[in-house]
Amino acid sequence: MDVKQVGVVGAGQMGNGIAHVFALAGYDVLMTDVSEDSLSKALAVIERNIERQVSRGKVMPADKRAAMERIKTTLKLADLGQCDLIIEAATERETVKTAIFEDLLPHLKPSTILTSNTSSISITRLASRTDRPEKFMGFHFMNPVPVMQLVELIRGIATDQETWETLHEVVRKLGKTASSSEDFPAFIVNRILMPMINEAVYTLYEGVGSVKSIDESLKLGANHPMGPLELADFIGLDTCLSIMNVLHEGLADTKYRPCPLLTKYVEAGCWAARPSGGFTTTGAKCRYRRGETILRRRIVHDFSAKNQVLLANPSVCSLSQARNPLGLPSHFFSSSAGIGSPITGRWGLKRLRLISYSRRPCRIVSLTLLAIRNAREFWPGK
């Protein structure tokens, strides 16, 4: 099948990058999103990125003009009906993706190939929600799309050979390299990469090292171009968490359990590439302040006015749980010189007495919670 016109659903970081490389390769591109503002921003990003390539001598000015002319935008999914190839690059949530495909189906011509840029969701399951599972594949580009050379091609259980060969030829025309993966959770790249990132977050969570130490160790000790936490920010912590959840649920193995700290960052809106930032981004100062406020509220809520915690069921509670009822990283605590020390600090929360229980008779353990203003290991990057 000869592909001439390509439809891209989603004008975010991945969507505009995919439109960018297809337009430069000579394909007509029709990009859609839910708002005109998103489409305008995407076009501006594409133009800026191609201009950067022009300044480096990788693209001729005439090629830039031609590429921008090939990219059209629309707010209507139905307008993509005449495209030969459609690439879904929306949010990494299965419900969103299936809804997009269901809305597209009535408008497609019989020969249209449907693909998803998902980084972890089952291709077979997505294909089953369409009327053409034999013409459905995973088409996973790496971020940033104009720079990264690899494209993962993932067959569903019903994908036919013609569809696979067509997409393989498209990847070749883009000047990229295709790798073939079977339809297992997270495919090849993220099956290997995400557990490493998750373990790096665990390393931070448990106080083994700081953000800087962890990233520098991998860059200088393993020759990685980016540290794992820096890479997590670049990918987006919400995406990392989503992929880890898919791995954990799909493979039913505890080694894929997402780190609680990763979950908390996402719950707090600290996703990176956003104003609230991630582990290492420029939004770290904003994130640090927001984070210490969240942590302060948790402490005020979970500790009584007398600064003591009485656990409801001492008989089933381990000593470690009793010492650390908030589930904070171990490096938040150190031994206290004496019991009954005055409560001091920026918010009057520097020293807290915890009543700890074990199966032995009750004993009082006095622990020192490091001042929140010095807790840069937990909310790193200030």
Side-chain angles (χ1 to χ4, degrees):
M1 177 182 173
D2 188 23
V3 175
K4 295 181 179 179
Q5 186 172 24
V6 178
V8 179
V9 181
Q13 190 173 32
M14 295 303 297
N16 70 57
I18 292 169
H20 173 154
V21 297
F22 271 93
L24 277 180
Y27 293 94
D28 292 327
V29 178
L30 183 59
M31 182 168 56
T32 184
D33 208 305
V34 295
S35 71
E36 192 66 49
D37 184 55
S38 297
L39 293 171
S40 299
K41 288 180 180 178
L43 289 174
V45 169
I46 293 170
E47 185 169 12
R48 185 167 62 249
N49 289 340
I50 298 180
E51 182 59 39
R52 186 180 297 116
Q53 291 178 304
V54 171
S55 66
R56 295 174 180 174
K58 296 181 178 180
V59 174
M60 299 299 293
D63 293 334
K64 175 196 170 183
R65 289 192 295 272
M68 293 305 300
E69 289 173 359
R70 293 188 192 104
I71 302 175
K72 308 298 182 185
T73 62
T74 179
L75 293 175
K76 300 177 181 178
L77 271 177
D79 292 343
L80 274 63
Q82 296 305 307
C83 293
D84 303 307
L85 168 65
I86 293 179
I87 304 169
E88 172 275 313
T91 304
E92 191 69 3
R93 287 201 296 270
E94 187 170 348
T95 53
V96 174
K97 295 178 184 295
T98 54
I100 289 171
F101 290 126
E102 289 171 358
D103 289 344
L104 273 171
L105 290 179
H107 311 289
L108 301 180
K109 58 184 183 181
S111 60
T112 299
I113 295 175
L114 287 175
T115 67
S116 175
N117 186 57
T118 179
S119 53
S120 60
I121 299 170
S122 169
I123 299 302
T124 299
R125 195 161 62 243
L126 290 175
S128 70
R129 303 297 294 271
T130 73
D131 61 355
R132 59 196 71 204
E134 72 284 354
K135 291 185 176 295
F136 194 103
M137 276 191 68
F139 207 22
H140 182 211
F141 289 82
M142 305 296 133
N143 186 31
V145 180
V147 176
M148 303 300 285
Q149 290 300 304
L150 184 70
V151 181
E152 280 185 315
L153 298 181
I154 305 100
R155 296 172 183 258
I157 197 170
T159 305
D160 61 27
Q161 184 65 19
E162 181 186 2
T163 301
W164 188 88
E165 290 175 356
T166 299
L167 292 186
H168 196 279
E169 179 61 19
V170 168
V171 173
R172 188 192 66 79
K173 289 181 179 179
L174 293 177
K176 296 185 181 294
T177 302
S179 70
S180 183
S181 170
E182 295 301 321
D183 187 17
F184 281 84
F187 317 131
I188 295 174
V189 174
N190 285 323
R191 174 76 176 266
I192 299 168
L193 176 64
M194 286 302 157
M196 182 197 73
I197 289 177
N198 192 53
E199 192 62 30
V201 180
Y202 265 115
T203 305
L204 177 66
Y205 177 67
E206 294 168 2
V208 178
S210 64
V211 171
K212 182 178 180 181
S213 297
I214 293 167
D215 278 353
E216 284 189 349
S217 295
L218 268 292
K219 286 192 284 187
L220 302 180
N223 203 28
H224 288 197
M226 296 175 72
L229 299 177
E230 182 183 4
L231 180 57
D233 285 349
F234 185 77
I235 294 170
L237 302 189
D238 54 334
T239 300
C240 293
L241 179 61
S242 175
I243 296 171
M244 286 307 303
N245 282 329
V246 168
L247 280 167
H248 190 216
E249 295 165 8
L251 300 174
D253 194 327
T254 56
K255 72 180 181 181
Y256 298 114
R257 184 174 68 91
C259 177
L261 181 58
L262 177 61
T263 302
K264 288 300 178 186
Y265 263 61
V266 175
E267 288 176 349
C270 305
W271 296 356
R274 292 164 174 79
S276 54
F279 291 114
T280 62
T281 60
T282 54
K285 186 173 182 180
C286 174
R287 184 213 61 252
Y288 174 85
R289 290 176 177 170
R290 184 175 181 181
E292 66 184 9
T293 302
I294 292 169
L295 188 58
R296 179 191 173 197
R297 287 173 180 169
R298 287 182 62 197
I299 292 171
V300 170
H301 178 267
D302 291 341
F303 284 95
S304 67
K306 295 181 179 180
N307 308 301
Q308 294 182 341
V309 177
L310 183 62
L311 300 175
N313 194 347
S315 63
V316 297
C317 179
S318 68
L319 180 58
S320 60
Q321 288 174 321
R323 286 180 175 177
N324 186 8
L326 297 183
L328 297 174
S330 58
H331 59 271
F332 256 81
F333 299 95
S334 64
S335 299
S336 176
I339 296 176
S341 301
I343 298 175
T344 60
R346 185 174 176 182
W347 292 293
L349 295 169
K350 186 173 182 180
R351 292 183 177 275
L352 299 169
R353 291 175 59 203
L354 309 180
I355 296 181
S356 299
Y357 287 86
S358 67
R359 290 189 176 93
R360 297 179 180 180
C362 172
R363 61 175 178 168
I364 297 178
V365 180
S366 180
L367 302 171
T368 300
L369 178 61
L370 300 181
I372 295 176
R373 65 173 179 266
N374 294 326
R376 295 176 183 174
E377 294 290 321
F378 187 71
W379 298 100
K382 183 185 176 188

